[in-house]
Amino acid sequence: MYEDVVLSWFETSIEDDQHCVMLEALIKGDIETFQSIFQDLVLKTFSMFDTSANEPEKVDFR
């Protein structure tokens, strides 16, 4: 289930080749490039409701 969710983030949030560029940058230690692409992914994908600190998740997936 989670694999499908994460894959959908990549498919809908960053351009086709950017996920490869991001992972290659991580492998090579190019933190600036990795950070830039990952930050863009996070800003497009996560909402403030996804990071609720100490509160339990408010979405019921049943």
Side-chain angles (χ1 to χ4, degrees):
M1 177 175 118
Y2 294 112
E3 181 179 350
D4 293 336
V5 171
V6 172
L7 288 174
S8 74
W9 292 342
F10 282 97
E11 291 172 357
T12 59
S13 299
I14 58 178
E15 296 176 27
D16 290 338
D17 66 333
Q18 288 298 296
H19 67 281
C20 291
V21 173
M22 180 182 75
L23 295 176
E24 187 69 28
L26 180 63
I27 291 168
K28 291 182 175 181
D30 181 359
I31 301 304
E32 291 176 6
T33 300
F34 174 81
Q35 178 185 5
S36 175
I37 298 170
F38 186 71
Q39 182 177 15
D40 187 48
L41 172 69
V42 169
L43 290 173
K44 289 179 179 177
T45 306
F46 300 163
S47 74
M48 66 181 204
F49 300 108
D50 293 331
T51 56
S52 62
N54 294 327
E55 293 184 34
E57 191 169 345
K58 294 179 174 59
V59 178
D60 184 6
F61 289 105
R62 287 185 261 160

